Structures are given as structure tokens and as C-alpha cells.
Amino acid sequence: MLSMHTSPLEQPGSGDAGGMNVYVAEITKRLARRGAAVDVFTRATSLDQPPTVELAPGVDVHHIPAGPAGELDKNSLTRYLCPFIFGVLRTEAAGQPYDVVHGHYWLSGRAGVTVARRWGVPLVQSMHTLARVKDLARPAAGVSAEPEARLRGEAHLVRSADRIVANTPVEAEQLAQHYGADPSRVTIVPPGADLEVFTPGSRSAALAELGLPTDTLLLLFAGRIQRLKGPEVLIRAAAQLVHRHPELRNRLVVALVGGSSGEPAEPRRLLQLAAELGVRDLVRMDGPTSGTNLATYYRAATATVVPSHAESFGLVAVESQACGTPVLAARVGGLPLAVREGISGVLVDGHDPTDYASELARLVRDQAWWGRLAAGARQHAERLGWSATVDGLLDVYQSTLGTPAQSAPA
Ligand code: UDP
């Protein structure tokens, strides 16, 4: 596994660590339990890091020195691709034991093209997010353009990888539409949630654990606090909700769990906005936390709100549902697959806070509606465990073995 710009050992929820880190950690652990030996290569970010760390039995994470120590903007990492590739190839000294190279995000894929070709093994690539799709969401989200090098790199990778793993049919379609991907080389393998960590539980006990009264109506945003994820929509919607239903004011809490990611001023801007809207006292920002703690937040929440402008899948949506908490999500990217509309949650077209406020009002005031969605939530999530993901990936690996077919020049 190549995961150059971020390591599965990192705490997801801030910086560059998010769903992809969870993905790599979860699939590698499970692949190892099925008998695979897995090595993950990531860029060393500190001089103190040991060269190799065991993530789980059968999974080693190798820190490859490539560029200066410290966190670097991932858009600057292209200039360190060569030393990264060189570091990965040095493992040849111990023989070349790999059957398949799996790249995560386009940067690792660019390294993977060279590494897989040299070793004569297939390159399987997971893009995780696509620059062209992100750029389409840009005007509404107010985020900056993706670098040209990424756009070119992704296009090259789509031509070069033996197989692309797409999270959803929507991503497969985006790969074909925006990158001209050959559909026969794209396989859809949905990600999942850890159904043993994310389990339903007592809402009042979870609220108590968070130090909140048991009649609290908790609206949860979990993930990296960045404009593309639309946390502003939740704050504006919550303000409208208490404006329309002042009787909810004493019970409503909005929790944002996660840290900033590439936009250090964003948390402060959101708190400022909450103050301007008169709901600063309702908003708490709790910083990034572990999956186990996050499960407590999901259990405590009345709804998890995922108002993203772009989302290739949305692990948070599945984790929340696995805890029996309905999701209110934007109808973008993979979210319509992650959330079953009207069964496990609600999907909203666009990002108008008024629409979110209306759906939130129904969720917090209509007990029967909430109860139906909460029951459907766990049922839906049960179909999205990581073991199904690993089944799908093993099929992909098996079917590519011995058929490296990279067609484009490195
Ligand atoms: N996450 C976490 N701690 C936090 C916030 C988020 O462990 O404080 C995890 C969360 O459990 C989820 C991942 O980060 O698995 C976010 O994945 P998602 O697909 O929702 O968003 P992405 O980061 O891929 O954009």
C-alpha cells in the first residue's frame, strides 16, 4: 500500500488525516487477518519516527524519508515523489515480495506507476477524491482551485493503473466522464464502517458521558473542519431552527468534532458566524477524537449532519447510522449511497440552510419519523461493514495478478 501524504497511524479528523487514513488502516488490518502480508509506505514526517512501525499483526508501516521533516502541504509533495519512490524501491534489497501495489490518492498513484512497472506487478489505484469533482463544487464551497499538476497527474494515472477502485457508481461515472476512464478497468468497492466500534447504545448514557443533560437535542458534525464539508450550513440551519422554534433553544447543542484541515482560520470563522447569528452559546468545538469517542458522540446525537459540497463517500454518515443515529446529508457524491433516503436518513438538494432547518425541525419534533429512521439506520449500515470492502478488494487483487497492463508511459 502506498499512502505517501498521510499515514494510517495518524489520528483522523484534522490536517490531512481523514477518511483515507481510516480506510487504509481498516482494510490493511483485515487483509492481514485474511492471511495477506501488508506493507504500507508513507512519507516520514519526523526525525524521531522509527523506520517501521507495526500497525497490526501482519501490517507494517514504513516511514520513507522524502523531503523535510514536518507536515507539508500535500500540494508541495510532488517535488518529493522521486525520493519517495527511491525509498520504496530500496526494499528490493530484501528481495521483491509484493504481488500487487495499491496506491491511495493520486500522489501515491504517481509513485505506484513507477514502482509497479519496475516490479512487474499490477497497480490498483484508489483515488479517494477527484480534483475535477472538487473543482466543480468550488464556487459554492468557496475553496481554492486544485493545482494543475494534480489534474494532469490524475488523468495520467487513470490511463496507467491496471485497475481503479471506485467507492461508488457515482465515482465510477465521474472517472469516465471527467477523465475518460475505461469502464472495464474500474471496479466499484464501497468502503464501510467498523460495526464493532460503531454500535447503537443508550442515548442518555452517551449524553451524560459528554456532560450534557439527557433531554439535549444534539446536532453533530464530525470530520475535518473545512469549507468543502459545509459546517457553516449546519450553524446557519441551527440558528434558523431556534429562531423558528424558540422552545428548542434550551435543549439544542451543535457539536463540531474534528480539527482544521488546510484552513486554520475556519474554526474561528465559524464561531464568529455563530456569534453573529446569536447561537454562539449553542455551539461547541471538541477537536479531533478517536473512533471510540466518536461513537459516543454519534450515540448521543439526534442527527449527524453531513452538508458537504463534495464527498466521495462519507464514512461519517455510515458510522453514525451504525450507531443508530439518522443522518441529514447533502445529495452529493457518494452520500446517496451511504444514506438511504427516507429509510436511514434524509438527503437535501443543495446547501440552503433553510432546507436543512426544515428537515432538522422534523427530525427533532416528529418522534415517530425520527424513530423510523433510527431503526433503519443501523439496518442500512450493517450492509456496509469493512469485511465486504475487503472481499471486493481481494477480488480486484486476484483478477489483476499477473496482468500488469499499464498502457501509458510513466
Ligand atoms: N474521524 C475521527 N475523529 C474525528 C473526526 C473524524 O476519527 O475527530 C474519522 C471518522 O470516524 C471518519 C473519518 O475521520 O472515519 C472521516 O471520513 P469521511 O469519509 O467522513 O471524510 P473524509 O475525511 O474522507 O473527507
Side-chain angles (χ1 to χ4, degrees):
M1 301 281 164
L2 303 183
S3 180
M4 179 187 179
H5 79 283
T6 180
S7 163
L9 296 167
E10 275 164 37
Q11 165 63 57
S14 67
D16 280 330
M20 191 184 111
N21 304 64
V22 173
Y23 187 102
V24 173
E26 294 295 334
I27 62 161
T28 53
K29 276 190 259 176
R30 285 170 174 77
L31 284 166
R33 279 188 225 145
R34 306 256 192 121
V38 187
D39 280 347
V40 183
F41 294 90
T42 191
R43 195 183 79 85
T45 51
S46 143
L47 298 175
D48 306 329
Q49 278 165 331
T52 299
V53 174
E54 188 183 67
L55 172 71
V59 184
D60 284 337
V61 177
H62 302 282
H63 293 117
I64 304 292
E71 300 293 334
L72 297 178
D73 176 357
K74 63 178 179 293
N75 291 331
S76 72
L77 289 181
T78 41
R79 71 182 81 129
Y80 305 117
L81 270 167
C82 279
F84 183 74
I85 291 169
F86 180 70
V88 176
L89 289 177
R90 279 174 59 138
T91 57
E92 278 177 25
Q96 192 293 99
Y98 304 110
D99 295 303
V100 60
V101 173
H102 189 161
H104 295 275
Y105 193 68
W106 78 276
L107 279 168
S108 299
R110 290 292 280 141
V113 170
T114 307
V115 167
R117 181 165 305 166
R118 160 129 185 146
W119 289 343
V121 299
L123 172 67
V124 173
Q125 173 66 23
S126 295
M127 304 300 264
H128 293 280
T129 64
L130 293 167
R132 286 195 200 284
V133 173
K134 213 171 154 186
D135 273 348
L136 289 174
R138 201 155 56 88
V143 293
S144 47
E146 288 300 301
E148 185 56 33
R150 178 177 176 190
L151 292 165
R152 279 203 311 272
E154 287 184 345
H156 175 266
L157 193 48
V158 167
R159 292 195 303 277
S160 313
D162 296 286
R163 195 70 66 85
I164 308 269
V165 174
N167 283 332
T168 63
V170 174
E171 189 186 342
E173 174 57 33
Q174 290 164 340
L175 283 159
Q177 191 190 341
H178 301 301
Y179 295 87
D182 169 0
S184 71
R185 288 205 279 169
V186 178
T187 304
I188 298 158
V189 182
D194 187 331
L195 299 175
E196 283 163 23
V197 170
F198 299 105
T199 54
S202 150
R203 181 135 70 103
S204 37
L207 283 166
E209 228 180 289
L210 298 177
L212 292 166
T214 52
D215 67 344
T216 303
L217 298 166
L218 179 68
L219 304 180
L220 176 67
F221 171 95
R224 289 174 289 159
I225 297 180
Q226 49 179 213
R227 285 175 187 242
L228 199 69
K229 290 203 171 276
E232 174 172 343
V233 177
L234 170 57
I235 289 177
R236 289 187 182 278
Q240 289 197 23
L241 184 64
V242 292
H243 187 67
R244 277 190 235 165
H245 303 281
E247 75 283 2
L248 298 176
R249 196 176 214 296
N250 290 338
R251 295 174 59 202
L252 204 75
V253 173
V254 177
L256 283 80
V257 181
S260 68
S261 168
E263 298 164 20
E266 189 57 6
R268 212 172 340 110
R269 190 186 74 86
L270 291 171
L271 290 176
Q272 176 68 34
L273 173 72
E276 283 159 20
L277 296 170
V279 289
R280 174 65 192 87
D281 55 324
L282 306 187
V283 178
R284 57 188 262 183
M285 282 206 183
D286 288 358
T289 192
S290 69
T292 318
N293 286 338
L294 205 48
T296 304
Y297 281 92
Y298 292 133
R299 287 182 202 119
T302 304
T304 300
V305 185
V306 189
S308 307
H309 293 274
E311 196 69 69
S312 79
F313 187 67
L315 296 183
V316 157
V318 183
E319 293 163 2
S320 169
Q321 292 166 98
C323 292
T325 298
V327 174
L328 172 60
R331 195 191 305 280
V332 297
L335 286 168
L337 188 87
V339 179
R340 261 190 93 192
E341 188 169 21
I343 305 286
S344 66
V346 180
L347 295 171
V348 175
D349 290 311
H351 298 86
D352 185 340
T354 308
D355 299 332
Y356 287 78
S358 301
E359 295 299 345
L360 286 174
R362 189 171 176 207
L363 279 166
V364 300
R365 296 170 83 235
D366 183 343
Q367 273 298 311
W369 172 236
W370 184 87
R372 273 208 305 284
L373 295 178
R378 175 70 195 185
Q379 263 174 17
H380 175 54
E382 264 159 21
R383 272 180 248 139
L384 290 163
W386 286 112
S387 83
T389 311
V390 169
D391 290 342
L393 291 177
L394 283 169
D395 284 348
V396 169
Y397 299 155
Q398 292 287 355
S399 65
T400 53
L401 285 184
T403 58
Q406 292 157 31
S407 53

mmCIF file of all heavy atoms in Angstrom, residues 160-196:
data_model
loop_
_atom_site.group_PDB
_atom_site.id
_atom_site.type_symbol
_atom_site.label_atom_id
_atom_site.label_comp_id
_atom_site.label_asym_id
_atom_site.label_seq_id
_atom_site.Cartn_x
_atom_site.Cartn_y
_atom_site.Cartn_z
ATOM 1 N N SER A 160 -3.043 4.843 -16.631
ATOM 2 C CA SER A 160 -1.915 3.949 -16.363
ATOM 3 C C SER A 160 -2.220 2.802 -15.414
ATOM 4 O O SER A 160 -1.602 1.742 -15.516
ATOM 5 C CB SER A 160 -0.752 4.731 -15.745
ATOM 6 O OG SER A 160 -0.515 5.896 -16.462
ATOM 7 N N ALA A 161 -3.113 3.008 -14.462
ATOM 8 C CA ALA A 161 -3.335 1.957 -13.449
ATOM 9 C C ALA A 161 -4.002 0.754 -14.102
ATOM 10 O O ALA A 161 -4.787 0.894 -15.038
ATOM 11 C CB ALA A 161 -4.213 2.504 -12.332
ATOM 12 N N ASP A 162 -3.666 -0.412 -13.591
ATOM 13 C CA ASP A 162 -4.314 -1.618 -14.122
ATOM 14 C C ASP A 162 -5.777 -1.669 -13.714
ATOM 15 O O ASP A 162 -6.613 -2.171 -14.440
ATOM 16 C CB ASP A 162 -3.576 -2.859 -13.597
ATOM 17 C CG ASP A 162 -2.168 -2.866 -14.119
ATOM 18 O OD1 ASP A 162 -1.990 -3.145 -15.303
ATOM 19 O OD2 ASP A 162 -1.247 -2.514 -13.341
ATOM 20 N N ARG A 163 -6.055 -1.170 -12.528
ATOM 21 C CA ARG A 163 -7.441 -1.146 -12.081
ATOM 22 C C ARG A 163 -7.640 0.054 -11.170
ATOM 23 O O ARG A 163 -6.770 0.371 -10.352
ATOM 24 C CB ARG A 163 -7.757 -2.426 -11.283
ATOM 25 C CG ARG A 163 -9.242 -2.657 -11.080
ATOM 26 C CD ARG A 163 -9.969 -3.033 -12.371
ATOM 27 N NE ARG A 163 -9.518 -4.320 -12.858
ATOM 28 C CZ ARG A 163 -10.017 -5.486 -12.442
ATOM 29 N NH1 ARG A 163 -10.997 -5.511 -11.581
ATOM 30 N NH2 ARG A 163 -9.536 -6.615 -12.905
ATOM 31 N N ILE A 164 -8.772 0.709 -11.343
ATOM 32 C CA ILE A 164 -9.133 1.794 -10.432
ATOM 33 C C ILE A 164 -10.261 1.264 -9.549
ATOM 34 O O ILE A 164 -11.236 0.688 -10.052
ATOM 35 C CB ILE A 164 -9.681 3.018 -11.201
ATOM 36 C CG1 ILE A 164 -8.734 3.445 -12.323
ATOM 37 C CG2 ILE A 164 -9.981 4.168 -10.245
ATOM 38 C CD1 ILE A 164 -7.704 4.444 -11.981
ATOM 39 N N VAL A 165 -10.123 1.468 -8.257
ATOM 40 C CA VAL A 165 -11.206 1.116 -7.336
ATOM 41 C C VAL A 165 -12.007 2.388 -7.069
ATOM 42 O O VAL A 165 -11.456 3.380 -6.592
ATOM 43 C CB VAL A 165 -10.643 0.537 -6.017
ATOM 44 C CG1 VAL A 165 -11.756 0.316 -5.012
ATOM 45 C CG2 VAL A 165 -9.903 -0.768 -6.281
ATOM 46 N N ALA A 166 -13.289 2.352 -7.416
ATOM 47 C CA ALA A 166 -14.172 3.497 -7.143
ATOM 48 C C ALA A 166 -15.032 3.154 -5.936
ATOM 49 O O ALA A 166 -15.436 2.003 -5.760
ATOM 50 C CB ALA A 166 -15.048 3.780 -8.357
ATOM 51 N N ASN A 167 -15.302 4.163 -5.117
ATOM 52 C CA ASN A 167 -16.124 3.919 -3.918
ATOM 53 C C ASN A 167 -17.577 3.643 -4.263
ATOM 54 O O ASN A 167 -18.255 2.900 -3.544
ATOM 55 C CB ASN A 167 -16.101 5.154 -3.019
ATOM 56 C CG ASN A 167 -14.813 5.269 -2.229
ATOM 57 O OD1 ASN A 167 -14.175 4.266 -1.932
ATOM 58 N ND2 ASN A 167 -14.437 6.489 -1.903
ATOM 59 N N THR A 168 -18.058 4.289 -5.306
ATOM 60 C CA THR A 168 -19.494 4.219 -5.618
ATOM 61 C C THR A 168 -19.685 4.260 -7.136
ATOM 62 O O THR A 168 -18.778 4.670 -7.872
ATOM 63 C CB THR A 168 -20.229 5.460 -5.045
ATOM 64 O OG1 THR A 168 -19.704 6.619 -5.713
ATOM 65 C CG2 THR A 168 -20.054 5.594 -3.553
ATOM 66 N N PRO A 169 -20.890 3.883 -7.598
ATOM 67 C CA PRO A 169 -21.182 4.037 -9.025
ATOM 68 C C PRO A 169 -21.029 5.491 -9.474
ATOM 69 O O PRO A 169 -20.633 5.760 -10.605
ATOM 70 C CB PRO A 169 -22.641 3.575 -9.148
ATOM 71 C CG PRO A 169 -22.867 2.701 -7.961
ATOM 72 C CD PRO A 169 -21.996 3.228 -6.872
ATOM 73 N N VAL A 170 -21.330 6.431 -8.581
ATOM 74 C CA VAL A 170 -21.187 7.853 -8.942
ATOM 75 C C VAL A 170 -19.721 8.166 -9.248
ATOM 76 O O VAL A 170 -19.400 8.828 -10.242
ATOM 77 C CB VAL A 170 -21.702 8.771 -7.800
ATOM 78 C CG1 VAL A 170 -21.424 10.237 -8.086
ATOM 79 C CG2 VAL A 170 -23.184 8.541 -7.567
ATOM 80 N N GLU A 171 -18.810 7.657 -8.417
ATOM 81 C CA GLU A 171 -17.387 7.919 -8.662
ATOM 82 C C GLU A 171 -16.939 7.249 -9.969
ATOM 83 O O GLU A 171 -16.154 7.822 -10.738
ATOM 84 C CB GLU A 171 -16.535 7.431 -7.480
ATOM 85 C CG GLU A 171 -15.085 7.892 -7.605
ATOM 86 C CD GLU A 171 -14.141 7.318 -6.546
ATOM 87 O OE1 GLU A 171 -14.619 6.820 -5.499
ATOM 88 O OE2 GLU A 171 -12.934 7.341 -6.785
ATOM 89 N N ALA A 172 -17.458 6.040 -10.230
ATOM 90 C CA ALA A 172 -17.106 5.354 -11.484
ATOM 91 C C ALA A 172 -17.544 6.205 -12.672
ATOM 92 O O ALA A 172 -16.810 6.370 -13.652
ATOM 93 C CB ALA A 172 -17.766 3.974 -11.531
ATOM 94 N N GLU A 173 -18.716 6.778 -12.557
ATOM 95 C CA GLU A 173 -19.252 7.635 -13.614
ATOM 96 C C GLU A 173 -18.398 8.906 -13.764
ATOM 97 O O GLU A 173 -18.079 9.333 -14.875
ATOM 98 C CB GLU A 173 -20.715 7.976 -13.235
ATOM 99 C CG GLU A 173 -21.456 8.955 -14.098
ATOM 100 C CD GLU A 173 -21.522 8.538 -15.554
ATOM 101 O OE1 GLU A 173 -21.586 7.312 -15.812
ATOM 102 O OE2 GLU A 173 -21.481 9.445 -16.421
ATOM 103 N N GLN A 174 -18.004 9.471 -12.624
ATOM 104 C CA GLN A 174 -17.164 10.684 -12.666
ATOM 105 C C GLN A 174 -15.813 10.376 -13.330
ATOM 106 O O GLN A 174 -15.289 11.185 -14.091
ATOM 107 C CB GLN A 174 -16.932 11.219 -11.251
ATOM 108 C CG GLN A 174 -18.182 11.825 -10.632
ATOM 109 C CD GLN A 174 -18.067 12.010 -9.115
ATOM 110 O OE1 GLN A 174 -17.235 11.371 -8.463
ATOM 111 N NE2 GLN A 174 -18.915 12.853 -8.563
ATOM 112 N N LEU A 175 -15.272 9.184 -13.035
ATOM 113 C CA LEU A 175 -13.990 8.805 -13.635
ATOM 114 C C LEU A 175 -14.121 8.702 -15.148
ATOM 115 O O LEU A 175 -13.240 9.118 -15.898
ATOM 116 C CB LEU A 175 -13.512 7.460 -13.061
ATOM 117 C CG LEU A 175 -12.920 7.532 -11.656
ATOM 118 C CD1 LEU A 175 -12.950 6.173 -10.965
ATOM 119 C CD2 LEU A 175 -11.467 8.044 -11.741
ATOM 120 N N ALA A 176 -15.261 8.167 -15.595
ATOM 121 C CA ALA A 176 -15.474 8.036 -17.041
ATOM 122 C C ALA A 176 -15.715 9.408 -17.661
ATOM 123 O O ALA A 176 -15.105 9.779 -18.663
ATOM 124 C CB ALA A 176 -16.659 7.104 -17.298
ATOM 125 N N GLN A 177 -16.578 10.184 -17.014
ATOM 126 C CA GLN A 177 -16.990 11.469 -17.594
ATOM 127 C C GLN A 177 -15.864 12.508 -17.608
ATOM 128 O O GLN A 177 -15.630 13.169 -18.607
ATOM 129 C CB GLN A 177 -18.170 12.001 -16.782
ATOM 130 C CG GLN A 177 -18.859 13.183 -17.425
ATOM 131 C CD GLN A 177 -19.865 13.806 -16.464
ATOM 132 O OE1 GLN A 177 -20.293 13.201 -15.492
ATOM 133 N NE2 GLN A 177 -20.244 15.042 -16.740
ATOM 134 N N HIS A 178 -15.175 12.627 -16.478
ATOM 135 C CA HIS A 178 -14.188 13.710 -16.372
ATOM 136 C C HIS A 178 -12.768 13.282 -16.749
ATOM 137 O O HIS A 178 -11.900 14.122 -16.944
ATOM 138 C CB HIS A 178 -14.171 14.281 -14.954
ATOM 139 C CG HIS A 178 -15.498 14.837 -14.522
ATOM 140 N ND1 HIS A 178 -16.135 15.845 -15.201
ATOM 141 C CD2 HIS A 178 -16.312 14.506 -13.489
ATOM 142 C CE1 HIS A 178 -17.290 16.126 -14.611
ATOM 143 N NE2 HIS A 178 -17.413 15.318 -13.566
ATOM 144 N N TYR A 179 -12.506 11.970 -16.749
ATOM 145 C CA TYR A 179 -11.134 11.518 -17.019
ATOM 146 C C TYR A 179 -11.068 10.505 -18.156
ATOM 147 O O TYR A 179 -10.000 9.973 -18.447
ATOM 148 C CB TYR A 179 -10.528 10.885 -15.754
ATOM 149 C CG TYR A 179 -10.349 11.878 -14.623
ATOM 150 C CD1 TYR A 179 -11.382 12.137 -13.725
ATOM 151 C CD2 TYR A 179 -9.147 12.570 -14.451
ATOM 152 C CE1 TYR A 179 -11.228 13.051 -12.688
ATOM 153 C CE2 TYR A 179 -8.981 13.480 -13.424
ATOM 154 C CZ TYR A 179 -10.020 13.724 -12.541
ATOM 155 O OH TYR A 179 -9.865 14.623 -11.519
ATOM 156 N N GLY A 180 -12.206 10.190 -18.745
ATOM 157 C CA GLY A 180 -12.214 9.227 -19.848
ATOM 158 C C GLY A 180 -11.792 7.827 -19.431
ATOM 159 O O GLY A 180 -11.205 7.088 -20.223
ATOM 160 N N ALA A 181 -12.063 7.452 -18.169
ATOM 161 C CA ALA A 181 -11.633 6.116 -17.697
ATOM 162 C C ALA A 181 -12.346 5.026 -18.486
ATOM 163 O O ALA A 181 -13.531 5.147 -18.798
ATOM 164 C CB ALA A 181 -11.934 5.966 -16.213
ATOM 165 N N ASP A 182 -11.600 3.965 -18.770
ATOM 166 C CA ASP A 182 -12.172 2.792 -19.432
ATOM 167 C C ASP A 182 -12.982 2.025 -18.382
ATOM 168 O O ASP A 182 -12.415 1.529 -17.404
ATOM 169 C CB ASP A 182 -10.990 1.961 -19.964
ATOM 170 C CG ASP A 182 -11.409 0.588 -20.438
ATOM 171 O OD1 ASP A 182 -12.615 0.270 -20.365
ATOM 172 O OD2 ASP A 182 -10.511 -0.160 -20.873
ATOM 173 N N PRO A 183 -14.307 1.928 -18.550
ATOM 174 C CA PRO A 183 -15.133 1.300 -17.500
ATOM 175 C C PRO A 183 -14.696 -0.123 -17.160
ATOM 176 O O PRO A 183 -14.885 -0.568 -16.035
ATOM 177 C CB PRO A 183 -16.544 1.296 -18.108
ATOM 178 C CG PRO A 183 -16.514 2.322 -19.188
ATOM 179 C CD PRO A 183 -15.100 2.389 -19.690
ATOM 180 N N SER A 184 -14.062 -0.823 -18.122
ATOM 181 C CA SER A 184 -13.667 -2.209 -17.821
ATOM 182 C C SER A 184 -12.501 -2.243 -16.831
ATOM 183 O O SER A 184 -12.168 -3.298 -16.295
ATOM 184 C CB SER A 184 -13.300 -2.947 -19.107
ATOM 185 O OG SER A 184 -12.080 -2.440 -19.597
ATOM 186 N N ARG A 185 -11.860 -1.102 -16.608
ATOM 187 C CA ARG A 185 -10.753 -1.085 -15.638
ATOM 188 C C ARG A 185 -11.145 -0.391 -14.331
ATOM 189 O O ARG A 185 -10.296 -0.083 -13.494
ATOM 190 C CB ARG A 185 -9.531 -0.413 -16.261
ATOM 191 C CG ARG A 185 -8.911 -1.333 -17.311
ATOM 192 C CD ARG A 185 -7.469 -1.032 -17.509
ATOM 193 N NE ARG A 185 -7.286 0.111 -18.390
ATOM 194 C CZ ARG A 185 -6.125 0.729 -18.571
ATOM 195 N NH1 ARG A 185 -5.064 0.346 -17.931
ATOM 196 N NH2 ARG A 185 -6.033 1.742 -19.382
ATOM 197 N N VAL A 186 -12.433 -0.144 -14.173
ATOM 198 C CA VAL A 186 -12.913 0.470 -12.924
ATOM 199 C C VAL A 186 -13.806 -0.538 -12.202
ATOM 200 O O VAL A 186 -14.719 -1.102 -12.804
ATOM 201 C CB VAL A 186 -13.724 1.764 -13.219
ATOM 202 C CG1 VAL A 186 -14.268 2.370 -11.924
ATOM 203 C CG2 VAL A 186 -12.857 2.781 -13.970
ATOM 204 N N THR A 187 -13.522 -0.793 -10.944
ATOM 205 C CA THR A 187 -14.356 -1.698 -10.149
ATOM 206 C C THR A 187 -14.895 -0.938 -8.942
ATOM 207 O O THR A 187 -14.151 -0.210 -8.280
ATOM 208 C CB THR A 187 -13.531 -2.917 -9.650
ATOM 209 O OG1 THR A 187 -12.947 -3.545 -10.790
ATOM 210 C CG2 THR A 187 -14.412 -3.923 -8.923
ATOM 211 N N ILE A 188 -16.174 -1.122 -8.685
ATOM 212 C CA ILE A 188 -16.790 -0.404 -7.552
ATOM 213 C C ILE A 188 -16.702 -1.264 -6.296
ATOM 214 O O ILE A 188 -17.182 -2.407 -6.278
ATOM 215 C CB ILE A 188 -18.262 -0.074 -7.871
ATOM 216 C CG1 ILE A 188 -18.323 0.856 -9.093
ATOM 217 C CG2 ILE A 188 -18.959 0.559 -6.668
ATOM 218 C CD1 ILE A 188 -19.639 0.836 -9.817
ATOM 219 N N VAL A 189 -16.060 -0.718 -5.280
ATOM 220 C CA VAL A 189 -15.956 -1.409 -3.985
ATOM 221 C C VAL A 189 -16.292 -0.378 -2.901
ATOM 222 O O VAL A 189 -15.453 0.462 -2.569
ATOM 223 C CB VAL A 189 -14.534 -1.976 -3.745
ATOM 224 C CG1 VAL A 189 -14.481 -2.734 -2.418
ATOM 225 C CG2 VAL A 189 -14.087 -2.878 -4.890
ATOM 226 N N PRO A 190 -17.498 -0.401 -2.353
ATOM 227 C CA PRO A 190 -17.834 0.611 -1.336
ATOM 228 C C PRO A 190 -17.041 0.412 -0.045
ATOM 229 O O PRO A 190 -16.809 -0.724 0.360
ATOM 230 C CB PRO A 190 -19.333 0.396 -1.076
ATOM 231 C CG PRO A 190 -19.812 -0.461 -2.204
ATOM 232 C CD PRO A 190 -18.630 -1.270 -2.668
ATOM 233 N N PRO A 191 -16.626 1.500 0.584
ATOM 234 C CA PRO A 191 -15.997 1.398 1.911
ATOM 235 C C PRO A 191 -17.051 1.073 2.969
ATOM 236 O O PRO A 191 -18.223 0.864 2.636
ATOM 237 C CB PRO A 191 -15.416 2.782 2.149
ATOM 238 C CG PRO A 191 -15.755 3.607 0.975
ATOM 239 C CD PRO A 191 -16.761 2.881 0.157
ATOM 240 N N GLY A 192 -16.639 1.055 4.221
ATOM 241 C CA GLY A 192 -17.597 0.646 5.253
ATOM 242 C C GLY A 192 -17.402 1.376 6.568
ATOM 243 O O GLY A 192 -16.901 2.486 6.623
ATOM 244 N N ALA A 193 -17.827 0.700 7.613
ATOM 245 C CA ALA A 193 -17.625 1.225 8.972
ATOM 246 C C ALA A 193 -17.276 0.020 9.840
ATOM 247 O O ALA A 193 -17.636 -1.116 9.503
ATOM 248 C CB ALA A 193 -18.899 1.885 9.476
ATOM 249 N N ASP A 194 -16.581 0.285 10.934
ATOM 250 C CA ASP A 194 -16.278 -0.795 11.872
ATOM 251 C C ASP A 194 -17.532 -1.047 12.708
ATOM 252 O O ASP A 194 -17.845 -0.271 13.622
ATOM 253 C CB ASP A 194 -15.089 -0.387 12.757
ATOM 254 C CG ASP A 194 -14.635 -1.546 13.640
ATOM 255 O OD1 ASP A 194 -15.479 -2.389 13.993
ATOM 256 O OD2 ASP A 194 -13.434 -1.592 13.961
ATOM 257 N N LEU A 195 -18.224 -2.123 12.396
ATOM 258 C CA LEU A 195 -19.534 -2.373 13.026
ATOM 259 C C LEU A 195 -19.396 -2.885 14.459
ATOM 260 O O LEU A 195 -20.390 -3.094 15.146
ATOM 261 C CB LEU A 195 -20.342 -3.356 12.173
ATOM 262 C CG LEU A 195 -20.641 -2.870 10.745
ATOM 263 C CD1 LEU A 195 -21.336 -3.950 9.930
ATOM 264 C CD2 LEU A 195 -21.474 -1.590 10.756
ATOM 265 N N GLU A 196 -18.149 -3.088 14.897
ATOM 266 C CA GLU A 196 -17.957 -3.453 16.311
ATOM 267 C C GLU A 196 -17.659 -2.235 17.173
ATOM 268 O O GLU A 196 -17.965 -2.220 18.364
ATOM 269 C CB GLU A 196 -16.839 -4.488 16.434
ATOM 270 C CG GLU A 196 -17.347 -5.852 16.019
ATOM 271 C CD GLU A 196 -16.249 -6.830 15.729
ATOM 272 O OE1 GLU A 196 -15.134 -6.653 16.237
ATOM 273 O OE2 GLU A 196 -16.531 -7.786 14.962
#
